[in-house]
Amino acid sequence: MRKEIKIPAIERGVVVDHIPAGQALKVVDILNLREDHDCITSIGMNMESKKMGRKDLLKIENKFIYKTELEKISLVAPNAVISFISNFKVKEKIKAQTPDVVSGVIKCKNKVCVTNHQNVKTKFHLVGEKPLRFKCHYCERIMEGKEVNLI
């Protein structure tokens, strides 16, 4: 018989579900949860999932997620589902959507790209979703999701 550990429900905050296994800590960093001491955070990593095989999950009490944070989450967890909780109930549920154009969020891997040598805001175009691929607007280098470094 397998014992389970239950993570308690949250009164107000967000749940980020369907994070690819091993990516939860990247989402923690995107949301600055290591520095935000007002948020109680429960992290489930490498959990069984019927859809994904394995997944990570975050429950964050007293947290609101902004549009720029959602955009960044979509870059590391393109199929994430974000549930907004109020009075212990789901008030809204959205799926992360990777935007067609991402500006000022990703660092270009090309060492000679103008964005790495001048004060130029990065800009990338989505060119593929499975796997996630972006093309630099300036040097045209294509990077896959696992190569993407957030600024």
Side-chain angles (χ1 to χ4, degrees):
M1 185 169 124
R2 183 176 172 178
K3 291 186 178 185
E4 293 185 16
I5 298 173
K6 301 288 183 183
I7 298 174
I10 59 175
E11 182 177 358
R12 180 182 63 237
V14 294
V15 175
V16 184
D17 197 1
H18 301 290
I19 302 168
Q23 299 296 309
L25 295 179
K26 287 184 180 179
V27 177
V28 165
D29 290 337
I30 289 167
L31 298 175
N32 200 31
L33 296 174
R34 296 176 202 249
E35 308 300 323
D36 191 344
H37 300 290
D38 293 329
C39 298
I40 298 170
T41 305
S42 300
I43 303 173
M45 295 182 72
N46 233 2
M47 301 169 68
E48 289 183 23
S49 167
K50 291 178 185 172
K51 287 183 180 179
M52 300 174 69
R54 295 274 175 201
K55 71 175 182 177
D56 291 352
L57 168 94
L58 294 173
K59 282 188 172 184
I60 313 155
E61 184 99 28
N62 298 322
K63 177 71 176 171
F64 180 81
I65 295 181
Y66 297 96
K67 183 179 178 185
T68 55
E69 294 170 325
L70 284 172
E71 186 175 280
K72 288 180 180 181
I73 290 170
S74 76
L75 300 176
V76 297
N79 296 312
V81 175
I82 296 95
S83 300
F84 298 90
I85 311 297
S86 180
N87 294 324
F88 297 102
K89 294 181 183 171
V90 176
K91 293 298 179 188
E92 183 181 4
K93 188 181 277 195
I94 61 171
K95 187 174 182 211
Q97 293 185 329
T98 308
D100 293 332
V101 178
V102 180
S103 296
V105 176
I106 301 173
K107 179 175 175 52
C108 187
K109 291 285 237 183
N110 183 355
K111 293 178 182 175
V112 297
C113 182
V114 66
T115 61
N116 288 318
H117 299 284
Q118 295 180 23
N119 190 15
V120 177
K121 187 176 185 179
T122 64
K123 183 175 180 180
F124 288 84
H125 302 274
L126 179 66
V127 293
E129 293 189 27
K130 292 188 182 188
L132 209 55
R133 293 178 25 202
F134 295 94
K135 180 174 150 182
C136 178
H137 180 77
Y138 301 100
C139 71
E140 299 187 346
R141 173 161 182 170
I142 294 180
M143 298 187 316
E144 287 197 13
K146 61 185 171 230
E147 294 179 286
V148 170
N149 285 329
L150 301 177
I151 295 174

